[in-house]
Amino acid sequence: MKIESDFLVIGSGIAGLTFALQAAEHGTVAIVTKREVTESATNYAQGGIATVFSKEDTFDAHVQDTLVAGAGICHEDVVRMVVEEGPQIINNLIEWGVQFTQSGSSYDLTREGGHSQRRILHADDVTGREIERALVAAVQENPNIRLFEHHIAIDLITEAKVLRKRLKPNRCLGAHVLDINNNTVMTFTAKVTLLATGGAGKVYLYTCNPDVATGDGVAMAYRAGATIANMEFMQFHPTTLYHAHAKSFLISEAVRGEGAILRRRDGTAFMDKYHQLKDLAPRDIVARAIDNEMKTHGDDCVYLDITHKDPDYVRNRFPNIYQTCLEFGLDMTKEPLPVVPAAHYLCGGVAVDTNGQTDISHLYAIGEVAFTGLHGANRLASNSLLEAAVYAGRAFKHAVSQIEANSFTFPEIPEWDAGTATDSDEMVVVSQNWDEIRRFMWNYVGIVRSDKRLERALHRINLIQEEIEDYYWNFTITSDLIELRNIATVAELIVKCAQQRKESRGLHCTIDYPQRDDIHWKKDSFVRKNI
């Protein structure tokens, strides 16, 4: 079965939906998403979206905070562009129906780690859910948009692959997509394809990401020949709830922004030893501090304490976090919350220009799947939703100009060929490899690394990928197999980028090169597949 449209959007978070809403004014849009439309990292974002919205704040201050958090390798031109375009993007979200929390006649602005000013717009402590609600409602009302839920992209279709030629530049023609419910493969073609597939937290054993975050867009783009950058910079959120049944529930950075203090089991506050901003230090520093405290004192977790604040204020400011913790038997107004770091945000990804365009023609990537240069070696809190929305607008404008300037002819695109593949009775192979990848990535390529650990990880990845490829080509494709193949690819890319960087910077900390090296490594790392 073939689906044709002007724009193909893979992913349904803030990046994909804001692009789709704008693109729908100029053509037909197909949105492919592998679970329900609301199941995205956006939906789970608690803290908010950062932008200069008060008279006390300035663009220069937001730029400087971003550069400091990024540990010297942010692209300053990109940082300034995103920051300065932020306020208009917020107004667009408001026009689409997003209702941010207000204080009187103005918006309530909060502060998070690394920010010198209160500049975080939020909707209580469920900002992402509110943004997703408004955007999904707008998408469902738009007659030019077709939504394909429970569909997972398998691979991009490129002109080079169809014609079996080496082409520079190559051109993206769409994607092969598995209908999960019917277990049939569909062919989606489009003049423009947008990757908005989010991050890759599920590559790690412990993550606060939703189950959909398996690095699909990065893996597909890499296999198609796109350049991938800075994959060594995986951000670990410092504070996820440590509880057997919580599945790494995120405790928002805004809790520390409103005065919460990190303590050891004995009640000792410790962040003053690590940074002058104490509990409001950038995330990479806080995560490493917690990791060090746990290892030094042999504890399973540390504790986040906001019991010194007025209980009514805490309940009203963080209603979702308060209620969720209460369901696990924890009252954050009366007792500190046990917390640990967990994989949270991928600062690298598919390399793009300032319009979100990859080095494959007519293929764009925005949001967490993309490497734009904004985040450098460590993302500043609440800059992610901002980046996604800004780049959605820029990618849309550039994509429309490309369509208007070019006449499109498509080569004959063959349907998916399953060959002699049969149904598998050995799904244990998938679950075993999935578990093994996530465990060795956590142990060898986690918050602190070494050359030896990276070497061991790459050795294991190579062996597992041989098994996966054999399985992939011999058995009928499933969503689990697609995701396993993708996390194996992303794990390989993270390790290879980490092996390149012979220093410690931001989120990449290695015991073999403990110092930052601005002479040799004040730059990005790149990897590209030879095809």
Side-chain angles (χ1 to χ4, degrees), residues 259-271 279 290 293 299 301-308 336-339:
I261 299 169
L262 286 162
R263 303 185 186 276
R264 295 185 201 130
R265 186 179 295 275
D266 64 5
T268 304
F270 58 82
M271 277 308 300
D279 299 276
I290 294 173
E293 290 292 323
D299 293 331
C301 63
V302 297
Y303 293 84
L304 187 65
D305 183 9
I306 198 170
T307 58
H308 53 283
L337 299 176
V339 295

Side-chain angles (χ1 to χ4, degrees), residues 428-443:
V428 67
V429 174
V430 174
S431 58
Q432 167 64 28
N433 283 334
W434 179 286
D435 184 65
E436 187 172 348
I437 291 171
R438 298 183 70 205
R439 285 186 182 278
F440 72 62
M441 285 298 290
W442 182 263
N443 291 325

Side-chain angles (χ1 to χ4, degrees), residues 448-465:
V448 179
R449 302 156 181 178
S450 71
D451 284 351
K452 193 66 176 177
R453 294 174 196 171
L454 294 175
E455 183 182 327
R456 287 172 176 161
L458 188 59
H459 176 68
R460 288 302 307 139
I461 291 167
N462 290 336
L463 291 175
I464 288 173
Q465 283 185 321

Side-chain angles (χ1 to χ4, degrees), residues 3-311:
I3 302 293
E4 297 180 0
S5 60
D6 294 312
F7 304 91
L8 170 62
V9 176
I10 306 175
S12 60
I14 185 174
L17 297 184
T18 51
F19 177 93
L21 285 169
Q22 294 170 90
E25 298 176 8
H26 291 264
T28 57
V29 182
I31 300 176
V32 167
T33 186
K34 61 184 182 179
R35 301 290 189 273
E36 296 78 18
V37 64
T38 55
E39 186 65 5
S40 67
T42 297
N43 198 49
Y44 292 86
Q46 296 174 346
I49 182 167
T51 197
V52 176
F53 231 62
S54 74
K55 294 179 180 178
E56 292 75 28
D57 202 1
T58 65
F59 289 144
D60 286 342
H62 192 176
V63 167
Q64 185 60 27
D65 290 345
T66 302
L67 295 176
V68 169
I73 59 168
C74 297
H75 297 193
E76 188 168 351
D77 59 332
V78 171
V79 175
R80 187 163 293 280
M81 176 193 80
V82 172
V83 166
E84 292 183 354
E85 292 183 14
Q88 179 56 52
I89 291 301
I90 297 298
N91 288 327
N92 292 347
L93 291 173
I94 293 169
E95 288 177 9
W96 279 320
V98 177
Q99 298 177 10
F100 293 110
T101 298
Q102 292 187 269
S103 178
S105 59
S106 60
Y107 288 106
D108 182 57
L109 301 176
T110 189
R111 185 182 173 194
E112 295 179 353
H115 289 274
S116 59
Q117 297 287 336
R118 286 183 170 267
R119 62 169 69 99
I120 316 299
L121 286 103
H122 64 97
D124 291 332
D125 57 347
V126 287
T127 308
R129 187 189 302 174
E130 169 57 19
I131 291 173
E132 190 79 4
R133 177 205 63 76
L135 295 179
V136 168
V139 161
Q140 290 174 334
E141 292 172 0
N142 196 304
N144 267 358
I145 300 176
R146 293 181 68 185
L147 182 60
F148 295 85
E149 295 179 299
H150 302 284
H151 285 66
I152 180 170
I154 304 168
D155 265 322
L156 297 171
I157 302 169
T158 64
E159 197 165 21
K161 186 185 294 184
V162 170
L163 300 178
R164 297 185 179 182
K165 293 181 179 179
R166 287 179 175 267
L167 296 176
K168 289 188 177 181
N170 198 358
R171 179 165 62 123
C172 186
L173 308 174
H176 283 121
V177 174
L178 176 69
D179 179 340
I180 297 171
N181 290 331
N182 297 322
N183 207 40
T184 57
V185 177
M186 304 167 66
T187 301
F188 282 73
T189 61
K191 297 173 183 177
V192 166
T193 299
L194 176 82
L195 294 174
T197 52
K202 296 297 285 186
V203 175
Y204 286 90
L205 184 60
Y206 302 109
T207 178
C208 50
N209 285 182
D211 289 342
V212 294
T214 51
D216 304 332
V218 173
M220 288 191 297
Y222 175 71
R223 289 194 293 266
T227 301
I228 311 298
N230 281 18
M231 293 293 289
E232 68 269 37
F233 297 123
M234 171 63 80
Q235 185 177 77
F236 291 82
H237 197 288
T239 54
T240 53
L241 189 64
Y242 181 70
H243 189 280
H245 304 296
K247 200 180 178 181
S248 299
F249 175 69
L250 184 79
I251 306 299
S252 171
E253 186 125 2
V255 178
R256 281 182 286 126
E258 297 298 342
I261 299 169
L262 286 162
R263 303 185 186 276
R264 295 185 201 130
R265 186 179 295 275
D266 64 5
T268 304
F270 58 82
M271 277 308 300
D272 59 342
K273 295 193 308 180
Y274 296 94
H275 198 273
Q276 65 270 22
L277 289 176
K278 300 179 183 178
D279 299 276
L280 284 175
R283 288 178 177 174
D284 60 325
I285 294 167
V286 180
R288 282 199 301 275
I290 294 173
D291 183 68
N292 185 62
E293 290 292 323
M294 289 165 57
K295 289 175 178 174
T296 300
H297 297 280
D299 293 331
D300 293 329
C301 63
V302 297
Y303 293 84
L304 187 65
D305 183 9
I306 198 170
T307 58
H308 53 283
K309 300 287 282 189
D310 179 71

